[in-house]
Amino acid sequence: MQRRDFLAATVAAPAITALPQRAHATAPLDAPYPPVLSAPSREIRTVVGHRPYRRSGFVLKREQVGRRTLVHNYGHGGCGVTLSWGCADLAVELAADARQRRAAVIGAGAIGLTTAHRLLRAGYDVTVYAEALPPHTTSNIAAAFWQPTGLFSQSAVDEDFLRQFRRAARLSQRAFQHLAQDPAYGVFWFRFFRPFDEPRAGAPRPVFEGEDLYPGRRTVKGEDAPFGFGEAEQFNSMMIDPDRFLRALMRDIKVVGGKIVRRRFESADDIFSLKERLIFNCTGLGAGALFDDTELTPVRGQLTMLLPQPEIDYGYVYQSPDGLLYMFPRRGAIVLGGTYEHGVSSTAISEEDRLRMFTGHAALAERISGG
């Protein structure tokens, strides 16, 4: 298979006007929900990561620095995996009229690797430079549920940003649809619900990215809400296993001649010393120091992985009286989470949060199972 054919066969670039494919979740939204076995005896590991958050949303822009073309693609909050393909497409578009055909991509998380993938498909000679490679990137420590939420403050963005955001989300969701048929990428459809103890007053959060990206989406209240909650949102979406996804991207990049080089950058000058004159900055939180972005802040998240339960074909996000709880299934683990701490840079595991996850998710599982 030729290089161009291989890249076209992995993830096709859809037209933005294309209609989404019909989705097939593992079960109807109102099918039984098996309980999650949340207990320390089933723990695989607990990890801490940091979301690169900006109140005004991600940075996706081009600038000239002397003879070099620099394209920024960073600051996606906790949605770097979710928006990866779409932002990669838009980043490559920004450089379309640049004369340089040799490109450097800085960063080997989801944003960097998908950007490199798109550049290779467009015919560029690509080298990825990064200090950390999968499985040791921030993207590996991600729940990676396909829903772009929590990455900007509504009061801090304008309509131009929202148009860009909507386009990135739509492109990315469609790209992941194609991967959902290939287990090598760790992408699969599942059903999701978000319960509320009491019916919400007023209108729900606007779905800026488009309600049609969540097949079967509905809101049920009162007696129709499941498990005795006052209200629940339900829809189908996709889960992405970052370990599989990033590993597959690295394989694709190497197969078609892309290069991946371990390198540490202390300053923007180090980046501009590269031989490539077309540079894509996909450094996530690192962009704060490298490019003096003072708006970029870490949002701490702690996840606990449990032994897998193949029968769990759903996920949830629940704001319990004792704090946030979310659970997502992977083929190789059940992911428990529930922390979202702005401005906290510590990587130390919180035993208090760990125990709250076990007890909170166990209580919710009992409620779901009718116990």
Side-chain angles (χ1 to χ4, degrees):
M1 180 179 288
Q2 297 300 309
R3 164 179 165 156
R4 181 171 298 176
D5 294 336
F6 178 85
L7 287 168
T10 53
V11 183
I16 191 63
T17 56
L19 293 174
Q21 296 177 348
R22 186 176 181 85
H24 296 280
T26 54
L29 291 174
D30 56 356
Y33 287 75
V36 172
L37 304 178
S38 177
S41 61
R42 298 185 60 81
E43 180 181 9
I44 299 174
R45 67 184 181 277
T46 294
V47 294
V48 172
H50 296 94
R51 308 165 178 93
Y53 176 77
R54 302 177 81 255
R55 288 188 70 252
S56 62
F58 56 80
V59 177
L60 192 55
K61 67 178 183 180
R62 167 180 167 171
E63 63 176 304
Q64 289 299 130
V65 182
R67 299 174 64 185
R68 287 177 169 77
T69 299
L70 177 63
V71 178
H72 294 287
N73 184 9
Y74 71 89
H76 300 81
C79 304
V81 176
T82 290
L83 293 174
S84 57
W85 289 116
C87 286
D89 285 330
L90 299 184
V92 175
E93 283 183 7
L94 288 173
D97 63 347
R99 295 183 178 181
Q100 302 93 341
R101 304 304 294 178
R102 295 174 61 184
V105 175
I106 315 301
I111 294 293
L113 294 179
T114 51
T115 299
H117 194 287
R118 289 309 202 208
L119 286 165
L120 285 162
R121 193 188 58 188
Y124 290 83
D125 181 358
V126 179
T127 300
V128 177
Y129 296 95
E131 178 182 9
L133 302 178
H136 305 295
T137 71
T138 298
S139 292
N140 286 92
I141 309 173
F145 156 49
W146 199 94
Q147 186 183 31
T149 184
L151 76 156
F152 60 82
S153 171
Q154 185 176 342
S155 64
V157 298
D158 57 20
E159 189 56 38
D160 286 340
F161 173 82
L162 290 177
R163 279 194 292 269
Q164 183 185 61
F165 164 66
R166 291 186 187 104
R167 186 161 182 246
R170 192 165 294 272
L171 284 167
S172 199
Q173 198 261 11
R174 185 62 186 273
F176 276 116
Q177 284 189 35
H178 293 286
L179 295 183
Q181 306 304 317
D182 187 341
Y185 291 89
V187 182
F188 60 93
W189 286 97
F190 80 128
R191 52 191 176 139
F192 171 87
F193 76 97
R194 185 183 181 189
F196 301 88
D197 290 312
E198 301 293 338
R200 291 174 293 175
R205 178 189 74 88
V207 184
F208 293 110
E209 63 273 23
E211 292 197 17
D212 62 305
L213 299 184
Y214 305 98
R217 189 174 187 272
R218 68 186 186 187
T219 298
V220 290
K221 297 186 178 185
E223 294 181 356
D224 294 328
F227 319 124
F229 288 102
E231 180 180 344
E233 293 178 2
Q234 295 178 286
F235 53 80
N236 296 297
S237 190
M238 286 175 283
M239 281 301 303
I240 303 105
D241 183 332
D243 288 333
R244 290 190 181 190
F245 178 54
L246 298 175
R247 188 164 57 244
L249 290 179
M250 291 185 70
R251 177 205 66 201
D252 292 349
I253 288 167
K254 292 177 179 178
V255 164
V256 296
K259 297 178 284 294
I260 299 176
V261 176
R262 291 282 301 274
R263 182 161 176 176
R264 179 180 176 85
F265 298 95
E266 299 285 353
S267 68
D269 288 341
D270 290 343
I271 293 175
F272 295 138
S273 70
L274 295 171
K275 61 181 180 295
E276 293 87 356
R277 294 183 180 176
L278 176 59
I279 301 171
F280 291 78
N281 167 31
C282 304
T283 56
L285 270 175
L290 289 170
F291 295 96
D292 195 28
D293 187 335
T294 58
E295 186 183 342
L296 193 62
T297 58
V299 177
R300 182 183 179 278
Q302 180 169 305
L303 299 177
T304 291
M305 313 296 181
L306 303 181
L307 291 169
Q309 291 181 247
E311 72 275 17
I312 303 297
D313 61 353
Y314 67 92
Y316 58 73
V317 173
Y318 171 48
Q319 185 64 53
S320 78
D322 296 321
L324 181 67
L325 298 171
Y326 54 84
M327 182 281 296
F328 301 117
R330 296 182 187 168
R331 298 303 187 228
I334 296 294
V335 180
L336 303 184
T339 58
Y340 197 87
E341 301 175 89
H342 280 270
V344 179
S345 58
S346 171
T347 59
I349 292 172
S350 166
E351 188 65 14
E352 180 181 355
D353 284 331
R354 176 176 168 273
L355 295 178
R356 182 175 67 84
M357 294 302 103
F358 287 125
T359 57
H361 288 284
L364 188 53
E366 185 176 8
R367 183 172 185 175
I368 290 173
S369 64

